[in-house]
Amino acid sequence: MSFEGKRLVIVGGGSGIARRIAVDAGAAGAEVIWAGRHPAVLVERGVRAAFADLGEESSLKALAEEVGEVDFVVSLAAAPANGPVATLERAAVARAFDAKVVGPLMLAKHFAPRFREGGAMVLFSGVAAWRPAPERTVMATTNGAVVFLAEALAVALAPVRVNAISPGIVDSGAWDGLGEAKAEFFRRTADANPARRVGRPEDVSAATLHLLANPFVTGSVLHVDGGGRLG
């Protein structure tokens, strides 16, 4: 698909998924601005880095003013607040909602008047919303809220299209902290998935670009999880 002449803003996402979206969109002709709290690390050939903090509305307003007119906005940020309910800290829960729900809503607020014809947003949910687990209560709740936010924004911002992506377990770098246990975790995940493998960043990138480009899809969630939510 061609994104020639299109301007794409990516917000958040320190793993391989955001980077792959930036690279693939750029290769398809898009002008890409990748924004985050540490813009110096968002270095990719042909990609412009900018500052944005989904927990600070003023930074999102400034980002919108800096970018100007835009075609597409993708929000991938997350701030997990995992652990038993009895040990959860309110500040951590608030940060999780800022990253997944409140921040993207403020993005919509400040970019809404700047979308060109055919504009679209993609928000990132996750498989935890459909497969809640112990110590993942906040993750399941915020990811579920993203889907309802996408539906609501699809109506509120129309004709700007708004959709959600729900990735499953993806080998994006986010799991590298498991060390030697990563291979076994991926093996068990692949065995349980109907697709019989874990995801790769290019799987999620292709789905994201499809949602941005398809003019007749809005208010939807696209599961890119290998069927993991069905297990």
Side-chain angles (χ1 to χ4, degrees), residues 186-187 189-199 225-227:
F186 278 6
R187 185 194 65 77
T189 299
D191 287 347
N193 275 356
R196 296 296 187 265
R197 69 173 178 86
V198 298
D225 60 8

Side-chain angles (χ1 to χ4, degrees), residues 29-181:
E31 174 193 355
V32 180
I33 299 97
W34 187 2
R37 290 186 299 164
H38 306 289
V41 304
L42 305 178
V43 177
E44 194 58 60
R45 185 174 181 180
V47 175
R48 176 154 58 100
F51 177 78
D53 183 346
L54 286 168
E56 295 290 341
E57 183 183 356
S58 60
S59 77
L60 306 181
K61 180 176 183 291
L63 176 66
E65 292 172 347
E66 176 186 346
V67 171
E69 289 189 341
V70 69
D71 297 283
F72 307 125
V73 175
V74 177
S75 180
L76 301 97
N82 298 326
V85 171
T87 67
L88 292 176
E89 297 182 359
R90 182 179 179 84
V93 174
R95 286 193 296 271
F97 274 89
D98 276 343
K100 282 281 191 175
V101 184
V102 180
L105 180 57
M106 294 300 100
L107 271 179
K109 170 184 174 180
H110 291 290
F111 275 98
R114 301 177 185 275
F115 278 103
R116 297 167 176 161
E117 183 177 354
M121 293 185 71
V122 170
L123 312 180
F124 266 61
S125 177
V127 69
W130 288 266
R131 297 199 66 183
E135 302 190 10
R136 298 293 186 269
T137 302
V138 178
M139 182 180 288
T141 305
T142 55
N143 282 325
V146 170
V147 176
F148 289 105
L149 177 60
E151 291 181 346
L153 287 176
V155 174
L157 301 187
V160 174
R161 295 175 295 105
V162 185
N163 292 291
I165 287 272
S166 177
I169 304 302
V170 178
D171 189 6
S172 63
W175 301 97
D176 291 355
L178 293 177
E180 294 181 359

